[in-house]
Amino acid sequence: MENDHDDEARVAGDRQFEEGADRPEEPLFNAQEVLDECISNFATTDYIMEPGIYTNAIRFIRAGGGPELAIDLLSANYMAFAQMVNIMAEWLMVAGMQNADVQAIIENNAKIMVLKTFDPQKADMMFNDGDSLRCWLKEVCEHFSCRSLIYQLAEQYPACLMLKRAIQFISDSGFEGEIKAISIAAQHLGVFSRILKASIAEFLSQRENWQSALEECAKVVCYGQHTFVYGQVLLQMLSRKSKGGFIMKRLSQEITKHALKSQRNVTPITMALNGSSRYAEVCASLSFVLSRNALNTADILVLFRHYSSSQPPPVEFIRNPQFLDLLVGALFKVGVSTEEEHKSKYLYLLGYAASVVEKPRKKGVIRIANREELNDTICAIEKAHSICNASHSSTELLRHIKTLFSCIRFPVVAVGVIRWVQDTVTEPSYFKICTESYSLHLALLDEVAVEHAPLLHDQILRLLIHLFESQQDELEILEQLEIRKMLLDRMVHLMANGCVVPVVQYIGRCCSQRNTDVSLIRYFVAEVLDMVSPEYSTEFVQLFLPIVENEEITGSMRDKNGNDPASEFILHCKALN
């Protein structure tokens, strides 16, 4: 626990005394100021332990101060706090406490004292020289406890120049991964850029659990207006790259959706970045719709007129996720009616945004719009809209199920059908009225899962989870269990079409939280074991094996000879290790 800094300081001080004769003396007119300053310093507690004690002692004597006065002041105010800490630490170790535990206690108490007494103005005055701060930080930043203290201080005092330099130094030293608080990183362009780069890289590396990585990336970008602008400009530049550009475009759109969910009006920024200002009427109409988050006939007519012309604006303007969501809601949301007179305009704009492909010519800026799929897409949307708008029961839906299946091949129709099914099956009375053992509405979700794997799997799974966790108190217990088994069948169907990890992760959470009937988990395990076969991915084994090994879940499914699916799965997974 002993520190060698005191010995080094004494050696440095002796050297200063030896070289003192060659130094110029303090000017006489400053003598009294020097004396007053030194006396004030000597009177502070434990000043003899301060790094500047030797320098100030020399200044005091040269200014005419008596050595006896300096000795009296320093000794009278010497409380030996550091030495008492060392003694206490030795006593604790003698008593049997581990060295690491003792050090942790001392460091935690020191951090508490610093947090209580830190003065940002004094800190800026002490470290006005960048070189002295850099030398001090080089040693301090080697210890995680010191770095974490700087992070805490930087959150409390964001305007402190010394702390800003410290954060930049820590980031430059390779510790930017530790800076979790975006409030700190957002103050430093270099630090924020590194964190943003790391969050984008994490998003790109996640194939299954990409939603959580996307959420973290969105939090980084949406911290403030300046971070949102910076992040979106960067993503827009990346989206123009031929390799991976569409992924960056999707990421940018998802971040915008996250900002809107957080009740932040980012419409002006979005419109400024997409270049729509060159088309004044289109920009004005879209801005009004997006800022109010509601469609209106006047703006729809303006947009229809421009996009049905011989020289339409770029299609990317109306491929805004918020605008597309509003169009889908206007045509497929239960209870929303669109004026027959203007319905064709809504259908055209949604079909145009979903199907038209634009390619720039090699020379010049003229765009070529490929509209080959436009009429078929509009026709499919119109048919699906008519069926969903008229079919309120399974019997009515059954007459049109073949037509609806053919329309679902179009991704935009599949999204609309999911919206309609969600509104229908989440009605409190749906499962009370629906007496069939297999819901036709959920059959539509199965078809979507097959046709559009894996793009729409996340939406389907979220809906199934919502239904699985919803209360059906008006039904008998056995009826509730049958409904949940039917929903588990839909989740197994999702797994069969590639949505494996998210489904097993959810069932794993149900097991750990112990909020689901064990018979339902057992039913799910039996269905999955009946479907899967070797070879299994490492991630699947890590998630599914603990569920299968749980005696409470699969104990009744196993026999003594191990000739059952559960035992065979366990043996196969153990053999891999």
Side-chain angles (χ1 to χ4, degrees):
M1 298 300 296
E2 294 183 0
N3 196 331
D4 294 336
H5 290 300
D6 296 342
D7 296 335
E8 294 175 1
R10 291 190 184 93
V11 172
D14 294 340
R15 191 179 298 115
Q16 290 174 358
F17 273 116
E18 293 172 2
E19 298 172 356
D22 298 331
R23 294 190 177 185
E25 298 183 358
E26 293 280 352
L28 294 178
F29 57 85
N30 281 337
Q32 190 58 46
E33 293 181 11
V34 172
L35 289 173
D36 292 341
E37 180 189 344
C38 290
I39 289 172
S40 176
N41 289 333
F42 295 161
T44 57
T45 302
D46 279 347
Y47 187 76
I48 197 171
M49 303 296 295
E50 294 293 331
I53 176 60
Y54 292 104
T55 302
N56 280 327
I58 294 170
R59 292 176 66 229
F60 180 73
I61 294 173
R62 286 181 175 167
E68 298 81 2
L69 177 59
I71 293 171
D72 290 342
L73 288 170
L74 292 171
S75 58
N77 292 284
Y78 178 59
M79 300 301 171
F81 287 132
Q83 284 72 15
M84 285 191 284
V85 170
N86 286 335
I87 292 173
M88 181 61 70
E90 291 177 3
W91 287 354
L92 290 173
M93 286 187 287
V94 170
M97 188 175 286
Q98 295 296 320
N99 188 3
D101 296 334
V102 174
Q103 185 171 347
I105 292 173
I106 295 172
E107 288 178 353
N108 289 335
N109 280 276
K111 287 170 68 174
I112 292 171
M113 292 299 296
V114 171
L115 289 169
K116 285 182 178 179
T117 60
F118 183 79
D119 187 336
Q121 293 181 346
K122 288 183 179 179
D124 287 343
M125 290 175 60
M126 290 175 62
F127 292 103
N128 53 11
D129 180 11
D131 292 334
S132 62
L133 176 62
R134 195 175 296 106
C135 294
W136 177 74
L137 284 173
K138 187 175 182 180
E139 183 176 353
V140 168
C141 290
E142 293 177 359
H143 306 281
F144 173 75
S145 58
C146 295
R147 297 196 301 272
S148 64
L149 175 60
I150 291 176
Y151 303 149
Q152 289 180 267
L153 290 171
E155 286 193 75
Q156 292 186 25
Y157 307 100
C160 179
L161 183 60
M162 185 276 281
L163 293 174
K164 288 182 179 181
R165 291 176 177 174
I167 292 293
Q168 187 66 56
F169 183 89
I170 291 172
S171 176
D172 293 342
S173 300
F175 299 107
E176 68 273 2
E178 295 177 353
I179 306 175
K180 302 298 182 182
I182 305 303
S183 58
I184 298 173
Q187 302 171 34
H188 311 272
L189 180 60
V191 179
F192 179 79
S193 298
R194 291 189 185 100
I195 291 179
L196 179 59
K197 176 184 175 183
S199 62
I200 294 175
E202 177 67 17
F203 167 75
L204 294 174
S205 66
Q206 294 289 340
R207 293 186 178 181
E208 296 284 354
N209 196 24
W210 57 270
Q211 294 93 339
S212 60
L214 172 62
E215 190 75 14
E216 289 301 317
C217 189
K219 287 179 181 178
V220 172
V221 177
C222 295
Y223 169 74
Q225 191 178 57
H226 64 296
T227 59
F228 184 83
V229 173
Y230 178 78
Q232 290 289 44
V233 169
L234 177 64
L235 290 174
Q236 190 177 64
M237 293 173 65
L238 292 174
S239 68
R240 296 171 184 166
K241 302 291 184 180
S242 57
K243 185 177 181 180
F246 288 109
I247 300 176
M248 292 295 101
K249 185 70 174 178
R250 171 70 184 274
L251 178 58
S252 174
Q253 292 174 344
E254 291 293 333
I255 289 172
T256 301
K257 288 170 64 176
H258 181 276
L260 293 170
K261 288 180 182 177
S262 304
Q263 304 299 317
R264 301 185 183 187
N265 183 18
V266 295
T267 299
I269 299 174
T270 303
M271 300 304 292
L273 292 177
N274 67 11
S276 60
S277 57
R278 292 172 293 166
Y279 303 84
E281 278 193 313
V282 172
C283 182
S285 295
L286 273 175
S287 297
F288 188 73
V289 167
L290 298 177
S291 60
R292 292 183 62 216
N293 197 32
L295 298 175
N296 63 83
T297 304
D299 290 312
I300 289 295
L301 291 175
V302 171
L303 294 172
F304 173 76
R305 175 164 51 83
H306 280 276
Y307 279 95
S308 59
S309 65
S310 57
Q311 291 294 327
V315 68
E316 64 175 317
F317 297 163
I318 56 173
R319 279 188 177 149
N320 181 291
Q322 184 186 1
F323 181 69
L324 291 176
D325 188 61
L326 290 172
L327 284 175
V328 170
L331 294 170
F332 290 95
K333 187 173 178 62
V334 174
V336 175
S337 59
T338 305
E339 298 177 24
E340 286 294 329
E341 182 183 356
H342 302 295
K343 186 184 294 183
S344 60
K345 280 76 172 177
Y346 288 81
L347 292 168
Y348 180 87
L349 288 173
L350 182 57
Y352 192 98
S355 64
V356 172
V357 179
E358 290 182 343
K359 292 183 179 180
R361 286 184 176 176
K362 294 182 179 180
K363 295 181 180 180
V365 294
I366 301 175
R367 290 169 289 105
I368 305 173
N370 185 338
R371 305 191 186 191
E372 290 181 2
E373 298 183 6
L374 178 57
N375 291 333
D376 290 341
T377 303
I378 294 174
C379 183
I381 297 172
E382 186 174 13
K383 286 181 181 179
H385 163 72
S386 300
I387 294 171
C388 295
N389 199 39
S391 302
H392 301 290
S393 66
S394 297
T395 305
E396 294 172 336
L397 180 61
L398 186 60
R399 297 200 304 266
H400 306 285
I401 197 73
K402 185 176 181 180
T403 303
L404 205 50
F405 273 15
S406 65
C407 294
I408 281 175
R409 292 186 297 104
F410 293 84
V412 65
V413 175
V415 172
V417 167
I418 292 175
R419 171 71 67 88
W420 176 69
V421 170
Q422 178 177 335
D423 291 345
T424 303
V425 300
T426 52
E427 279 291 320
S429 59
Y430 176 78
F431 287 106
K432 189 175 181 180
I433 298 173
C434 180
T435 57
E436 297 88 349
S437 59
Y438 181 63
S439 165
L440 278 177
H441 293 88
L442 296 181
L444 293 174
L445 297 183
D446 287 349
E447 187 67 14
V448 172
V450 173
E451 290 287 345
H452 303 288
L455 296 178
L456 297 178
H457 283 175
D458 179 55
Q459 292 185 40
I460 297 172
L461 180 59
R462 284 204 303 267
L463 175 55
L464 293 175
I465 290 173
H466 174 76
L467 294 172
F468 188 79
E469 296 178 350
S470 62
Q471 299 296 322
Q472 305 290 341
D473 296 332
E474 67 277 6
L475 301 177
E476 297 292 335
I477 297 297
L478 291 178
E479 290 178 319
Q480 294 182 35
L481 288 175
E482 288 303 314
I483 289 171
R484 287 182 169 84
K485 284 182 179 180
M486 179 178 63
L487 294 170
L488 288 173
D489 287 336
R490 310 282 63 74
M491 293 185 191
V492 173
H493 179 77
L494 269 179
M495 290 182 64
N497 286 277
C499 186
V500 177
V501 171
V503 172
V504 181
Q505 280 180 333
Y506 172 69
I507 299 300
R509 287 198 298 271
C510 291
C511 293
S512 60
Q513 294 171 2
R514 305 182 70 84
N515 58 357
T516 304
D517 193 297
V518 175
S519 65
L520 293 173
I521 305 296
R522 189 178 300 117
Y523 177 81
F524 173 82
V525 170
E527 291 294 306
V528 173
L529 289 175
D530 188 52
M531 177 183 68
V532 300
S533 60
E535 296 291 329
Y536 309 114
S537 69
T538 304
E539 193 171 10
F540 174 71
V541 171
Q542 290 174 345
L543 292 170
F544 194 55
L545 181 60
I547 302 175
V548 180
E549 287 182 318
N550 191 320
E551 284 286 343
E552 186 180 5
I553 297 171
T554 62
S556 60
M557 298 169 57
R558 306 185 215 172
D559 59 39
K560 295 180 180 179
N561 298 323
N563 296 324
D564 60 274
S567 299
E568 291 174 359
F569 178 81
I570 294 172
L571 288 173
H572 179 83
C573 294
K574 295 293 185 183
L576 294 177
N577 297 328

